Amino acid sequence: MAVKPSLLIVEDDLALAELIVWHCEAEGYVVRQTADGEEALLMVAEQMPDAIILDWMIKHVPGIEVLRQLRRDKATAHVPVIMLTARGEEEDRIRGLKTGADDYMTKPFSPRELLARVEAVLRRSRPVTGGQTLVAGDLELDPVAHRVTRGGVAIPLGPTEFRMLVHFLERPGRVQSREQLLDAVWGMDSDIELRTVDVHIRRLRKAINLPGTTDLIRTVRSAGYALGG
Amino acid sequence: MAVKPSLLIVEDDLALAELIVWHCEAEGYVVRQTADGEEALLMVAEQMPDAIILDWMIKHVPGIEVLRQLRRDKATAHVPVIMLTARGEEEDRIRGLKTGADDYMTKPFSPRELLARVEAVLRRSRPVTGGQTLVAGDLELDPVAHRVTRGGVAIPLGPTEFRMLVHFLERPGRVQSREQLLDAVWGMDSDIELRTVDVHIRRLRKAINLPGTTDLIRTVRSAGYALGG
DNA sequence: CAGGTCCATGACAGTTTTGTGACACTCTCT
DNA sequence: AGAGAGTGTCACAAAACTGTCATGGACCTG
């Protein structure tokens, strides 16, 4: 991340967009803005922002489609996205979170609150380590050595379970939908059954859960799974 | 927010203050006024206004200091503030916005314009904390982790109860009719019995109300339900 | 206080969602 | 080719969650 974090704002209400840009710039962010979903994707490809503020109702491509495409490309899969939804569209919000949005704001909102979320989301995204060992409780994973230990003892893991655990450890506590897990662990356009995720969750659980201790992986009914909490 | 939104006006130019008060009252707001920064803070502590109009140049404490103190206290951190600055004080304006003002007006301005901004700011204000989790007393809900805690302890909630609680937390204190809840929680076009809402309210209550404490959800006869209040 | 409206509650039968073991297949290595 | 590990699916079992209803209590109105 550069000295000044860069933001991309995708919003087609010009007045609102300007307001947001103004506040973000006042806060010291480098800001780019577009009203168009397709253009947004181009702008991301051209220069990767540190975070994206994405309106749900925009021209040409609906916000959720933009989000989906972002998540599909490995290069952009980890860029934090805050979505903006209108009041009452709870459905959208939930779909958004399941598709991989990091946070959401309900319109109307105060710019100050948005800034707070941006900051939170940036702070959270930073510790996505590259090469550092990932830790959760007494569980450790060394991405370089490709090695997992629980309380010091090595745990054998198959490749799929390993990738899945990495994914969880990089997002501790956050619910991951089966779709997200499929995309992250198997790669985009693998036509794997959703339920296959369940099976691998089970295998992962069996491997990392010492018998007698509480389950490290939480099932969130009708939403997905999460590591710890 | 009461039937009539209440405003606090902090302005030491008596003529201007009177003008503002007159217009605001004409618009139906309940207005209190002071010329003094310290007194302003006391008045806020005594009775929380729905919005504050804050002059930058006032007695004893500079406006920005008042603002800073307001923002520091969690109870007042979300009250919308419109600051009044003199022409040319660009610096102040930016500092003000960064400190958490919601809007600003440059003197001289027309009362009509001020009223418009007040209205905008009231519409935008959400009585919700700036953070990522939704809070009401010792009840916290993290939408991303999909997790609810009361006084730190996790509370298991079914999907429907969860969505319902989110809805309430985003509108603290406001009564929600059964129709509104149906639309928000079940989706617009679900042909669910109205009374089913009651049942889920009951389940939500049972889940989040620690035995022995007062009910977090208020029943409003022949109107609906509300969170806290 | 009679009668009506509105709300709380427990039960329940039906659905949806998850957990689990088994199995056939593919790969890699020898 | 044979052994062994790892995978993806399935079918069935087990949970978890849902929407309704019937009943009784609370509250209001005259």
Side-chain angles (χ1 to χ4, degrees), chain B residues 9-14 33-37 39 58-59:
Chain B
I9 295 169
V10 189
E11 167 63 68
D12 63 350
D13 174 342
L14 260 306
Q33 185 264 333
T34 175
D36 181 314
E39 198 179 324
I58 49 178
K59 284 180 198 158

Side-chain angles (χ1 to χ4, degrees), chain A residues 141-143 146-148 157-166:
Chain A
L141 183 150
D142 183 339
H146 220 270
R147 215 180 137 67
V148 180
L157 275 187
T160 311
E161 278 69 54
F162 186 86
R163 287 199 302 276
M164 192 144 115
L165 183 54
V166 169

Side-chain angles (χ1 to χ4, degrees), chain A residues 29 44 51 59 80 96 104 117 128 131 144:
Chain A
Y29 295 111
V44 169
K59 285 180 199 157
Y104 67 87
R117 304 250 178 157
V128 174
V144 179

Side-chain angles (χ1 to χ4, degrees), chain B residues 7-228:
Chain B
L7 305 181
L8 174 62
I9 295 169
V10 189
E11 167 63 68
D12 63 350
D13 174 342
L14 260 306
L16 179 56
E18 256 181 66
L19 181 70
I20 298 175
V21 170
W22 190 86
H23 274 89
C24 289
E25 286 183 340
E27 195 68 19
Y29 295 112
V30 174
V31 186
R32 289 175 299 159
Q33 185 264 333
T34 175
D36 181 314
E38 287 186 19
E39 198 179 324
L41 288 170
L42 290 177
M43 290 172 82
V44 170
E46 176 190 300
Q47 199 200 336
M48 184 103 60
D50 293 309
I52 300 173
I53 297 169
L54 177 63
D55 190 5
W56 229 223
M57 306 282 288
I58 49 178
K59 284 180 198 158
H60 296 158
V61 191
I64 190 166
E65 194 47 45
V66 175
L67 178 56
R68 194 166 287 145
Q69 294 208 29
L70 284 172
R71 292 302 179 235
R72 188 170 307 158
D73 185 346
K74 198 164 189 182
T76 59
H78 69 268
V79 178
V81 171
I82 299 175
M83 58 175 169
L84 307 179
T85 67
R87 190 179 287 297
E89 295 176 5
E90 194 79 20
E91 279 303 314
D92 281 357
R93 211 137 51 211
I94 292 177
R95 271 205 304 160
L97 288 170
K98 288 183 76 167
T99 308
D102 291 76
D103 206 344
Y104 67 88
M105 303 248 5
T106 308
K107 294 196 236 183
F109 51 82
S110 82
R112 173 193 297 282
E113 194 180 344
L114 177 61
L115 283 173
R117 305 253 179 151
V118 168
E119 208 173 307
V121 116
L122 283 176
R123 198 166 8 157
R124 274 206 309 257
S125 93
R126 278 206 330 174
V128 157
T129 65
Q132 123 97 14
T133 59
L134 301 165
V135 184
D138 61 346
L139 181 73
E140 298 193 9
L141 183 151
D142 182 337
V144 176
H146 232 273
R147 201 167 227 299
V148 179
T149 59
R150 178 90 199 256
V153 260
I155 292 178
L157 275 187
T160 310
E161 279 69 54
F162 186 86
R163 288 198 301 275
M164 193 145 111
L165 183 54
V166 170
H167 183 79
F168 275 124
L169 284 169
E170 285 177 337
R171 299 156 182 78
R174 282 206 258 162
V175 177
Q176 299 299 113
S177 69
R178 290 179 175 70
E179 285 85 352
Q180 284 176 294
L181 288 168
L182 266 189
D183 286 351
V185 177
W186 280 263
M188 295 297 177
D189 30 52
S190 63
D191 47 352
I192 303 281
E193 289 290 324
L194 271 188
R195 293 301 310 278
T196 298
V197 174
D198 297 28
V199 178
H200 282 277
I201 286 283
R202 164 144 202 298
R203 290 172 179 158
L204 182 54
R205 274 177 168 151
K206 201 189 265 184
I208 66 177
N209 282 329
L210 307 172
T213 59
T214 57
D215 198 338
L216 280 178
I217 296 176
R218 187 160 43 97
T219 302
V220 183
R221 186 169 231 261
S222 77
Y225 299 92
L227 176 67

Side-chain angles (χ1 to χ4, degrees), chain A:
Chain A
M1 196 178 320
V3 183
K4 293 182 175 186
S6 70
L7 304 180
L8 174 62
I9 295 167
V10 189
E11 166 66 65
D12 64 350
D13 175 340
L14 261 307
L16 180 56
E18 257 181 63
L19 181 71
I20 297 176
V21 171
W22 159 245
H23 276 88
C24 290
E25 286 183 339
E27 195 69 16
Y29 295 111
V30 175
V31 185
R32 287 176 300 159
Q33 186 262 335
T34 174
D36 182 315
E38 289 185 18
E39 197 179 322
L41 289 170
L42 291 176
M43 290 171 82
V44 169
E46 177 190 300
Q47 199 200 337
M48 184 100 61
D50 293 310
I52 299 173
I53 297 169
L54 177 63
D55 190 3
W56 227 223
M57 306 281 289
I58 49 177
K59 285 180 199 157
H60 299 157
V61 191
I64 191 167
E65 194 47 46
V66 176
L67 177 56
R68 195 167 287 143
Q69 295 207 29
L70 284 172
R71 290 304 180 234
R72 187 167 306 158
D73 184 347
K74 196 156 194 188
T76 58
H78 299 98
V79 179
V81 171
I82 299 176
M83 60 176 167
L84 307 179
T85 69
R87 198 182 273 300
E89 295 177 6
E90 333 268 327
E91 281 301 318
D92 283 357
R93 206 160 324 153
I94 289 173
R95 271 205 305 157
L97 287 173
K98 286 177 84 165
T99 309
D102 293 75
D103 204 344
Y104 67 87
M105 301 243 14
T106 308
K107 291 196 252 186
F109 51 82
S110 87
R112 185 155 31 83
E113 194 178 343
L114 178 61
L115 285 172
R117 304 250 178 157
V118 169
E119 209 172 307
V121 121
L122 285 176
R123 198 171 30 227
R124 257 202 326 255
S125 81
R126 206 163 319 166
V128 174
T129 56
Q132 285 286 332
T133 71
L134 301 163
V135 183
D138 62 345
L139 181 74
E140 298 192 12
L141 183 150
D142 183 339
V144 179
H146 220 270
R147 215 180 137 67
V148 180
T149 60
R150 177 90 199 254
V153 242
I155 292 178
L157 275 187
T160 311
E161 278 69 54
F162 186 86
R163 287 199 302 276
M164 192 144 115
L165 183 54
V166 169
H167 183 78
F168 275 125
L169 284 168
E170 283 174 340
R171 298 160 184 76
R174 313 189 39 171
V175 176
Q176 300 298 114
S177 68
R178 290 179 176 72
E179 286 85 350
Q180 282 176 278
L181 288 168
L182 267 190
D183 288 352
V185 177
W186 281 264
M188 284 350 69
D189 18 64
S190 61
D191 45 355
I192 303 280
E193 289 292 322
L194 272 187
R195 289 301 309 279
T196 298
V197 173
D198 296 31
V199 178
H200 282 276
I201 286 283
R202 168 145 201 297
R203 290 171 180 159
L204 181 55
R205 274 177 168 151
K206 203 188 265 183
I208 67 176
N209 281 329
L210 307 172
T213 59
T214 56
D215 199 336
L216 280 178
I217 296 175
R218 183 162 49 99
T219 301
V220 182
R221 185 172 236 256
S222 79
Y225 299 93
L227 176 67

